[in-house]
Amino acid sequence: DFSFCKWPSSLVSKQDFIDLYGQSTSLAEHFARINEPFLYPICNDDRDIAEIIPSDMKPHSPIVKDNDTVISFSHFLPRIELLPEKRFLYEPLLAKVVGSNALERQVRRLQPHLHLFGHTHIP
């Protein structure tokens, strides 16, 4: 949203955002990066922590025990295919902002017992 938000130009340009055929995922990747310090101790990734969490961010301590139930949530759709096809949408740009492949990858890594998500602005 460029009406109410001021995005740093290093993240995304307005043209990338409003272009129907633009493929920029920079905003989604930026927000996914912020999730990583919280996911790493839960997901037990075999990857080196330096590969996942940028050096300027610190991982959080493990918080999930063996028999715990994990419930995750996101504001947006965890999978793009949950959104109807563009031809059925009142606003064709909606598909660019209601979910991302980066979010889906993170939810799949987390493997929650239940994932809740917010809304899609579909009337």
Side-chain angles (χ1 to χ4, degrees), residues 69-73 106-116:
T69 298
V70 175
I71 299 173
S72 60
F73 64 93
Q106 289 180 330
V107 172
R108 288 184 185 276
R109 275 180 38 224
L110 182 60
Q111 297 179 351
H113 293 88
L114 176 67
H115 181 83
L116 306 170

Side-chain angles (χ1 to χ4, degrees), residues 2-85:
F2 280 85
S3 303
F4 298 106
C5 299
K6 299 278 187 208
W7 300 106
S9 59
S10 60
L11 285 180
V12 67
S13 72
K14 186 172 184 176
Q15 186 58 42
D16 285 341
F17 186 79
I18 62 172
D19 181 1
L20 278 174
Y21 302 103
Q23 300 297 317
S24 176
T25 60
S26 58
L27 280 177
E29 297 296 333
H30 171 74
F31 287 109
R33 178 178 173 261
I34 293 170
N35 289 339
E36 287 301 328
F38 300 96
L39 290 172
Y40 183 80
I42 298 170
C43 295
N44 297 318
D45 284 326
D46 292 331
R47 295 176 289 172
D48 180 29
I49 195 167
E51 292 178 44
I52 301 168
I53 300 177
S55 60
D56 62 332
M57 300 178 105
K58 302 287 186 238
H60 292 267
S61 300
I63 57 173
V64 177
K65 310 292 186 277
D66 285 340
N67 294 319
D68 285 350
T69 298
V70 175
I71 299 173
S72 60
F73 64 93
S74 60
H75 182 81
F76 294 116
L77 297 171
R79 297 171 57 183
I80 297 294
E81 63 265 17
L82 295 174
L83 185 69
E85 292 180 41

